[in-house]
Every structure is written in structure tokens, then in C-alpha cells.
Amino acid sequence: NAAICEGENIQLLASGGTIYNWSPTTGLSDPSIANPIATPTITTTYMVTVTNATGCSEESAVTITVNPSPILLISNDVEICQGESAVLTVNTHNEYVWSPAAGLSSTTISTPTATPTSTTTYTVVVTDVNGCTNTGNVTVTVNAPEVNITALHDTICNGFFTQLSATGGVSYNWSPATGLNDVAIANPTA
């Protein structure tokens, strides 16, 4: 008897005869050989009838337990601003392997913190107590404002002013504040 994970296969082996008949035939590569490959989708007991050269036969059975893939509940895709972080989550299992490692606080826990410098799709492989695995992905989109700053004049005489202009944002905070008429607008005068 043996156990496999959902989607895996296993080789069965019978000996002592010249003719082999396995049943049920579902999931078997060839039910008339001594060593067929079994790919059952559910737990299955296979019976084999082995007949030798003199015509004597004997039956034997083997049960292949099919363990399901672990259920994977992973956090939704997330958007962050450049320089921010997001906590990725996956439900509890025995083992976790996240990749790529760049920007992650850990690659072997269920809730790593991701601080990527650019949009990254993280993949996690989880393993349950039966050694069965499942894989999931979560994308962290990094949004960075495209800021453009200009000045009407980049050189002025003492006592004169110039108009500054910034685009690409919804709020602004100029510094240093010295000499500006308003630090919280897109186009202060300096």
C-alpha cells in the first residue's frame, strides 16, 4: 500500500507469473503487465491476478491512497506606492516557499512583508502534512508618480520672482518653504 498526492502517479509491481491482469483498469498505463503506472484520481484498491507458466494463479491487492492538494487561500493582488510595503498572506500549512526573494522579509513564513522596488509577482508553494503541494501567485503593483518640475526662469535677479510648476500628483509639499508664497500648491512663486 502507498500514498500519493493528487495528480501524481506510482508504479505498481507484481511478480511470480507470466500473465498479469490488473483491475480496475482505470488510471493504469497497461493492466496486462507486471509493473503498470497507476494514476488514480481517488483512493483505489487495485487487484492483480498473477498466472504462472503452469496455469496456476493467485490474487493480491494494493491500495493507493490519493491525498488531495492542499487548499490554497492567498491574499489578493495589491497596489502600493513606491517605498511602501504590503503583507502577503496564505492559509496555514506545514511549509512555505515564496519566490522571488527580492523585497520579501522572509521566504518561509505564511505572512511575509513585501517591499518591492517595482511591480512583482510573488509565487508561493505550500506543502501540507502529507507532503502534497499547491502553488499560488500574488502581484504587488508598485505605483510611482511621474513628477515633472519646472521653473519659468531658472535664474532671477535679487528681488524678482519666478513661477515654479509641478505635475504628476494630487497634493504637493515644497521645501524649503523659504521664499515660496504657498508650499502646498502645484505652482508657487519663488
Side-chain angles (χ1 to χ4, degrees):
N1 295 332
I4 62 172
C5 296
E6 184 179 6
E8 292 181 343
N9 60 46
I10 190 168
Q11 187 166 32
L12 305 180
L13 181 61
S15 61
T18 55
I19 300 172
Y20 300 90
N21 288 307
W22 292 89
S23 68
T25 59
T26 305
L28 292 181
S29 61
D30 186 343
S32 62
I33 61 174
N35 57 349
I37 302 294
T39 312
T41 57
I42 60 171
T43 297
T44 305
T45 299
Y46 290 101
M47 296 288 298
V48 64
T49 302
V50 179
T51 306
N52 66 13
T54 63
C56 297
S57 61
E58 188 174 328
E59 286 187 348
S60 188
V62 61
T63 299
I64 306 301
T65 302
V66 179
N67 293 312
S69 295
I71 295 171
L72 183 65
L73 302 173
I74 191 168
S75 54
N76 293 327
D77 292 346
V78 64
E79 291 189 30
I80 61 173
C81 292
Q82 194 171 37
E84 292 181 344
S85 299
V87 176
L88 310 181
T89 59
V90 67
N91 55 324
T92 303
H93 293 289
N94 276 15
E95 252 179 61
Y96 312 88
V97 178
W98 291 88
S99 64
L104 288 181
S105 61
S106 174
T107 59
T108 57
I109 62 173
S110 63
T111 56
T113 299
T115 312
T117 56
S118 62
T119 297
T120 304
T121 298
Y122 291 100
T123 299
V124 63
V125 178
V126 296
T127 305
D128 67 11
V129 294
N130 297 313
C132 298
T133 62
N134 200 348
T135 302
N137 296 311
V138 59
T139 299
V140 179
T141 302
V142 179
N143 295 316
E146 292 185 26
V147 178
N148 293 310
I149 301 173
T150 59
L152 184 59
H153 304 285
D154 59 359
T155 304
I156 59 173
C157 295
N158 190 21
F160 287 83
F161 69 93
T162 188
Q163 184 82 47
L164 304 180
S165 178
T167 60
V170 294
S171 64
Y172 300 89
N173 187 9
W174 293 86
S175 66
T178 306
L180 297 178
N181 69 327
D182 189 341
V183 296
I185 60 174
N187 54 351
T189 55

